[in-house]
Amino acid sequence: MVSTGTQQLLDRAPAALAETPWEVVVWDDPVNLMSYVSFVFRSHFGMSAERAEERMLAVHNDGSAVVAQAGREAAEMHVQALHGYGLWATVRAGNAGDSGAGA
Amino acid sequence: MSDFGAVRLDEHGFSLLLEEHERVILGDLAAQLIQVLEDPEDPVAERLYPDAYPDDAEASAEFRRLTRGDLDDARIAGATLLLETIPEDQDAPILPLDRAGAERVMRSLGDLRHVLAERLGISVASPEGDPNDQFTMLYDWLGYLQESLVLALVSGDEESGRLARA
């Protein structure tokens, strides 16, 4: 039997031990075509057509959407690649409990 | 052989289907794009290289310093390829592109739209260009060409198994 305090520590441990995820965010812009953005998501991230369409619409309707979670270096590489496609992409430290990401 | 709007996909590859005057315009735009990309001070750079860290100017500058050179090189190579695809001699055929070339030109058409959007003042706050501006027509036409290439690439990539079928 462990004390309440220790139990709380144990409950938090898995999240604390995991590498802090960074989020790749794509922002809505008036220039890129919807079909183009979907294709980039499929081609670069290997998303299914359905997933790419869903993320593209999230960008379009919500103004921005998380399209990938990764370690910082990998997230930055995604952002560089997306800038190469002319997409408005940024990186940020992930928020615990956030969902909707994962390519 | 399949046609996707302004693009034909057949055993030779991806070919832009352009009228004579369209060839002149697109060749001219591609040449201008190279000039714009070679000018690091051109305002379109803010669109092509947005801050990677919106709340951290220093980190964004460092990110740009590390990434922009390679992306500029790739962009100039793409615009050059687009230019080479459309020979100045109107009697010469438009050269078909392989998959990588078509993908590169697809991006260049997007780069051109970013350049025109900058000139037209198109932004998140003002997403529609002036319908009476001749550049708005070019901007829309470039979108049509790009969408044609996207559709052809999706079809080709699904055919080859590079992309899972929808």
Side-chain angles (χ1 to χ4, degrees):
Chain A
M1 204 172 193
V2 291
S3 73
T4 308
T6 310
Q7 187 61 53
Q8 280 174 349
L9 275 179
L10 288 174
D11 286 344
R12 285 204 302 268
L17 287 173
E19 189 189 0
T20 309
W22 289 71
E23 294 177 339
V24 177
V25 183
V26 171
W27 300 79
D28 192 26
D29 78 84
V31 177
N32 287 304
L33 304 171
M34 295 168 89
S35 59
Y36 176 70
V37 174
S38 285
F39 175 68
V40 171
F41 289 173
R42 289 179 75 183
S43 192
H44 176 73
F45 292 110
M47 290 184 194
S48 67
E50 294 77 13
R51 178 71 176 160
E53 188 81 358
E54 187 271 326
R55 285 291 86 191
M56 178 277 291
L57 287 173
V59 171
H60 183 71
N61 295 324
D62 303 337
S64 71
V66 176
V67 294
Q69 287 182 315
R72 183 168 187 172
E73 198 175 334
E76 287 192 335
M77 288 179 73
H78 285 312
V79 170
Q80 178 179 10
L82 293 172
H83 287 179
Y85 282 105
L87 268 58
W88 181 7
T90 62
V91 61
R92 70 184 178 205
N95 301 315
D98 235 21
S99 62
Chain B
M1 182 195 84
S2 306
D3 285 353
F4 300 87
V7 172
R8 174 163 298 166
L9 175 57
D10 60 17
E11 71 272 21
H12 303 296
F14 299 79
S15 302
L16 296 171
L17 306 172
L18 301 173
E19 305 286 341
E20 249 182 59
H21 70 284
E22 294 175 330
R23 290 174 63 154
V24 175
I25 293 169
L26 192 57
D28 194 36
L29 286 171
Q32 288 182 43
L33 177 58
I34 293 169
Q35 286 184 356
V36 167
L37 292 169
E38 285 173 341
D39 175 8
E41 303 300 320
D42 192 283
V44 79
E46 284 185 30
R47 291 173 184 261
L48 299 178
Y49 304 106
D51 284 351
Y53 293 91
D55 302 324
D56 189 338
E58 200 175 323
S60 294
E62 175 69 0
F63 182 86
R64 205 173 280 113
R65 189 182 69 77
L66 292 171
T67 60
R68 181 170 168 179
D70 288 348
L71 294 180
D72 269 339
D73 290 347
R75 286 197 149 95
I76 290 169
T80 304
L81 177 62
L82 173 55
L83 195 56
E84 290 169 354
T85 304
I86 319 162
E88 269 184 45
D89 179 0
Q90 293 287 335
D91 294 328
I94 290 176
L95 303 174
L97 297 158
D98 62 12
R99 195 235 167 241
E103 210 265 11
R104 192 56 262 176
V105 165
M106 171 193 73
R107 299 186 196 212
S108 296
L109 294 169
D111 289 345
L112 269 175
R113 274 171 60 86
H114 282 292
V115 172
L116 287 182
E118 179 66 30
R119 306 294 186 265
L120 288 163
I122 290 173
S123 67
V124 174
S126 173
E128 303 289 336
D130 175 356
N132 298 316
D133 192 314
Q134 57 168 336
F135 286 111
T136 302
M137 283 174 57
L138 278 182
Y139 177 78
D140 291 341
W141 177 60
L142 289 167
Y144 167 68
L145 291 183
Q146 191 192 37
E147 179 131 313
S148 300
L149 264 179
V150 169
L151 294 174
L153 279 161
V154 167
S155 174
D157 284 353
E158 287 183 347
E159 190 71 31
S160 71
R162 195 177 181 280
L163 287 181
R165 283 187 190 280

